């Protein structure tokens, strides 16, 4: 089958499940992974004959997409800050908001004197690894409650020179006797009641442990991390959060109540309150 024919078949099969532009993007991602094709090749290589083996693989991908499985999990990786990260059902697929936080921190900390830093809820390790590469003078630690997530983070570390100390640690429990100059966290923050309005590719394929908090206590992790973090940050140490846009201001107020100075909430690229930072006096 020629590429042009397959593209038509792909679009026709998936059109009831995905918007047209997303359907095309999914095909580009699949072709790039399997055949090293690009979006331009969809136009310039229309007459290309796809091999039977590649057709079988593409057909299996299409069937999994019909089941709403994320394309990143199907091909096994995603891109984050221009780096390829392995992903699977044990970790969240990194979001653009998290990438925005990392890019902001790269600029803010480029000339800093941060010696020790901690990433809480590291998942795939994307935050810790990208910041460790950008700030090589800093000793990074990364916690996650999931051994499976930490195993994948360690696999992702293989493409980086910088080393991260991975620890299986529950942020809600007692913390080790360590102090840091920087703590950053993208903790679970989606109230469970929002599940009914979320896409099935998230609900069915990403770890609920890393997504959801009780609807009656959406600040559960922010309260614990802010309080314990205050005691484990050195004077002048900084705390950065990614937040649910509905609760960013509440997190900022919580940090002020605990005693943080220079508490600063700010918006993401879509104009939603998404991040907040503070400094331990």
């Amino acid at each position: 089958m020629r590429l042009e024919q397959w593209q038509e078949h792909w679009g026709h099969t998936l059109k009831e499940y995905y918007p047209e532009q997303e359907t095309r993007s999914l095909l580009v991602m699949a072709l790039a992974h399997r055949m090293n094709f690009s979006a331009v090749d969809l136009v310039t290589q229309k007459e290309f004959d796809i091999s039977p083996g590649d057709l079988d693989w593409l057909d299996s991908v299409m069937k999994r997409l019909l089941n709403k499985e994320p394309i990143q999990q199907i091909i096994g990786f995603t891109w984050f800050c221009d780096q390829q990260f392995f992903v699977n059902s044990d970790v969240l697929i990194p979001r653009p908001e998290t990438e925005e936080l990392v890019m902001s921190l790269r600029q803010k900390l480029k000339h800093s004197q941060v010696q020790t830093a901690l990433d809480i809820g590291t998942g795939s390790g994307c935050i810790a690894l990208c910041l460790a590469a950008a700030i090589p003078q800093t000793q990074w630690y990364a916690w996650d409650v999931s051994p499976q997530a930490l195993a994948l983070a360690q696999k992702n570390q293989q493409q980086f020179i910088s080393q991260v100390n991975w620890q299986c640690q529950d942020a809600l429990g007692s913390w080790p006797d360590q102090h840091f100059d920087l703590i950053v966290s993208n903790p679970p923050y989606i109230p469970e009641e929002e599940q009914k309005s979320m896409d099935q590719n998230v609900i069915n394929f990403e770890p609920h442990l890393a997504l959801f908090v009780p609807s009656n206590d959406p600040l559960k992790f922010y309260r614990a991390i802010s309080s314990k973090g205050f005691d484990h940050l050195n004077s002048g140490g900084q705390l950065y959060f990614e937040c649910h846009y509905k609760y960013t201001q509440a997190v900022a107020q919580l940090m002020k109540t605990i005693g943080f100075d220079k508490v600063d909430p700010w918006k993401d690229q879509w104009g939603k309150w998404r991040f907040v930072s503070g400094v331990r006096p």
Side-chain angles (χ1 to χ4, degrees), residues 3 7 24 37-48:
L3 178 58
Q7 186 176 359
R24 187 175 186 275
F37 272 25
S38 68
V40 174
D41 291 321
L42 291 180
V43 177
T44 61
Q45 300 291 329
K46 288 182 178 182
E47 301 300 316
F48 180 85

Side-chain angles (χ1 to χ4, degrees), residues 3 37 103 139 161 164 210 239:
L3 178 58
F37 272 25
M103 298 300 288
Q139 178 63 65
I161 297 175
V164 174
L239 173 62

Side-chain angles (χ1 to χ4, degrees), residues 155 160 171 232 248 255 263 270:
K155 182 179 179 181
F160 289 86
H232 287 76
T248 301
M255 292 173 66
V263 176
W270 294 283

Side-chain angles (χ1 to χ4, degrees), residues 222 226-227 230 239 241 248-265 276-279 281:
Y222 297 100
S226 296
S227 177
F230 191 86
L239 173 62
F241 281 126
T248 301
Q249 298 295 345
V251 173
Q253 185 56 51
L254 171 67
M255 292 173 66
K256 291 177 182 177
T257 301
I258 288 171
F260 282 91
D261 281 346
K262 301 178 182 178
V263 176
D264 178 29
V276 61
S277 61
V279 178

Side-chain angles (χ1 to χ4, degrees), residues 163-183:
Q163 296 297 303
V164 174
N165 298 288
W166 311 101
Q167 297 177 357
C168 191
Q169 172 69 37
D170 185 356
L172 301 178
S174 58
W175 287 22
D177 186 18
Q178 294 174 278
H179 282 77
F180 306 95
D181 299 310
L182 170 69
I183 297 175

Side-chain angles (χ1 to χ4, degrees), residues 96-167:
E97 297 91 334
T98 307
E99 188 172 40
E100 189 175 346
L101 175 61
V102 169
M103 298 300 288
S104 177
L105 280 168
R106 278 180 171 179
Q107 290 299 116
K108 292 175 184 290
L109 302 173
K110 186 162 48 175
H111 303 296
S112 72
Q113 300 300 313
V114 174
Q115 295 183 355
T116 56
L118 170 65
D119 172 25
I120 297 178
T122 194
S124 64
C126 59
I127 292 177
L129 287 167
C130 287
L131 289 177
I135 318 166
Q137 74 274 15
T138 301
Q139 178 63 65
W140 274 88
Y141 296 82
W143 295 354
D144 204 288
V145 72
S146 166
Q148 293 81 10
L150 289 172
L152 189 66
Q154 288 176 299
K155 182 179 179 181
N156 280 321
Q157 182 170 268
Q158 296 172 8
Q159 63 179 317
F160 289 86
I161 297 175
S162 302
Q163 296 297 303
V164 174
N165 298 288
W166 311 101
Q167 297 177 357

